[in-house]
Amino acid sequence: MKRTTTAKAVNISARLKGLLPREVIRLFKLIDRIAQQNSCAVFLVGGLIRDILLGVRNLDLDILVEGDTPRLVKALVKEARGSYVLHKRFGTAVVTLPWPVRFKSTRLANAKIDFATARKEIYKSPAALPEVAFSTVREDLSRRDFTINAMAASLMHKNFGQLIDFFNGRSDLAGKKIRILHDKSFLDDPTRIFRAVRFEQRFNFKIEPHTERLIKEALKGKMIERTSKARLKDELILILKEKDPGKALSRMENLIDFGFIHPKIHFTKGQEQLFSSISKTVAWFKSVCEGKTTDIWLVYMMALLGDLDMSTLENVCREFAFTKTERTRLCSYRKNNLEVAKFLGRSKRLSPSEIFRQLKPLSDEAILCIVAGSNSKYIKRRIANFLLKYNKVSLKISGKDLAGLGLKAGPEFKKILTAALYAKLDTGFRHKKQELDFIKRFSAGHK
Ligand code: CTP
């Protein structure tokens, strides 16, 4: 498809200055000066340009270089006292500058910038990783996925902010369309099928009819099956990291379906509701448990894979190359969720230590998935108590104190400390002396 534009030059420098921190604009000037000294041309490229045009703040700095990227990067790092990691073969580099940058009212300690030499990619066989040859900004943009992602802006002093838009990306942004650049795009890289859905749903756009037809042809040609499962998983995770992943998964169910994971997986109306409940639960969790590093996407993944039987789930985890800790958390949820929900859903009184014992072995992700999947007021209250109160309780005494009581170190220590913790949860000891008294009584009773 030839959609090059001859429309009059558009300059987005005012938008860049309006939406990016002042320090970043200053950084662009520095990059341009060093680029000039090293005879390079530099452009801002990719998702950031799309977002700036949409008025969305984004600080993913991707800089495209026509010229010698390693030389440019080394000179930049020397001047700005940063560090870099270079991938010579691909002509890419990640630069970290120790500048405090303020972004969305957060002070970022470092500015991370991705540099890439303009390149073209040659796909020797469909769905395989491409070979790379260095080229021009135009060729670099033409290897990209969608028109809205194939724009760049000059960072050079002579025309700072001039938009480079060979494929009418700006007009597709205005028309809310996801459109590929050429007909073989999904054959070259079938993960773009997932990306099309992700961007469509994120921005409330529409995959335009020709692009949708090409997706269907690629699916008929079994392109997903020919793609590495690890890459498919990575794309699925990106979808689950979106603000409203349920919307994207409904679209996937209709367009692609989840047979590529397992024929038993369907994104049903029930799951749609579960996803919406997870989203509310997660918002609550973030507001009450600040600073926890929870993998929210994994909560959604638990919900998506939760109906598979254990051995199928283990196979899926292996085939799709989930990491060991992801696998452990997914399998532990699958193994325990029904039983835990049944136990916590009882109207009979449960002591804090009984609730603690049920929930402590589970990951936060599993706990969130259980609470989101339940309508029981008992479960909700008990899980809230666990997260907000019981899980924060700890003993004042230590192994040293036990040794002071004449107790011998060994497996017995752990047993005694656990018993003391349960007693503290149930009776609310406030002083170290109460804990010590309990331990004296406990160990006397176990002699
Ligand atoms: N890209 C592509 N094909 C892919 C992956 C990426 O053409 N399979 C190109 C797109 O031009 C994209 C750029 O590489 O804009 C950077 O990729 P990525 O960071 O994944 O995309 P963003 O557009 O920045 O997405 P997001 O907003 O989700 O970060």
Side-chain angles (χ1 to χ4, degrees), residues 355-409:
I355 296 167
F356 183 88
R357 256 178 279 194
Q358 286 291 313
L359 293 172
K360 191 63 186 171
L362 298 182
S363 61
D364 283 347
E365 291 83 1
I367 292 173
L368 291 175
C369 203
I370 291 173
V371 76
S374 151
N375 286 322
S376 150
K377 63 176 188 221
Y378 297 108
I379 295 182
K380 288 188 191 299
R381 196 172 58 224
R382 285 164 175 161
I383 287 186
N385 279 337
F386 170 78
L387 292 171
L388 302 179
K389 289 198 256 168
Y390 312 152
N391 202 25
K392 293 180 177 164
V393 173
S394 61
L395 293 173
K396 290 192 163 75
I397 48 159
S398 62
K400 233 179 173 177
D401 295 309
L402 296 192
L405 289 175
L407 297 165
K408 282 205 188 85

Side-chain angles (χ1 to χ4, degrees), residues 92-110:
T92 59
V94 182
V95 170
T96 308
L97 298 180
W99 289 3
V101 175
R102 197 171 277 285
F103 184 62
K104 288 184 182 169
S105 74
T106 324
R107 220 174 142 81
L108 305 175
N110 294 312

Side-chain angles (χ1 to χ4, degrees), residues 315-433:
N315 283 341
V316 165
C317 284
R318 226 185 345 268
E319 283 171 9
F320 283 80
F322 282 96
T323 66
K324 192 161 168 250
T325 89
E326 292 163 359
R327 215 163 56 216
T328 309
R329 284 178 283 172
L330 282 165
C331 291
S332 149
Y333 167 77
R334 174 67 189 84
K335 203 166 141 204
N336 297 301
N337 80 86
L338 295 178
E339 221 170 277
V340 170
K342 192 169 160 206
F343 186 87
L344 297 180
R346 292 188 298 183
S347 56
K348 168 181 167 264
R349 187 187 177 277
L350 293 177
S351 66
S353 69
E354 282 176 300
I355 296 167
F356 183 88
R357 256 178 279 194
Q358 286 291 313
L359 293 172
K360 191 63 186 171
L362 298 182
S363 61
D364 283 347
E365 291 83 1
I367 292 173
L368 291 175
C369 203
I370 291 173
V371 76
S374 151
N375 286 322
S376 150
K377 63 176 188 221
Y378 297 108
I379 295 182
K380 288 188 191 299
R381 196 172 58 224
R382 285 164 175 161
I383 287 186
N385 279 337
F386 170 78
L387 292 171
L388 302 179
K389 289 198 256 168
Y390 312 152
N391 202 25
K392 293 180 177 164
V393 173
S394 61
L395 293 173
K396 290 192 163 75
I397 48 159
S398 62
K400 233 179 173 177
D401 295 309
L402 296 192
L405 289 175
L407 297 165
K408 282 205 188 85
E412 202 55 16
F413 260 41
K414 189 157 187 253
K415 211 165 123 190
I416 295 173
L417 288 170
T418 308
L421 180 65
Y422 292 165
K424 183 168 184 168
L425 281 166
D426 291 339
T427 56
F429 304 151
R430 295 176 63 187
H431 307 292
K432 191 169 172 177
K433 183 168 179 316

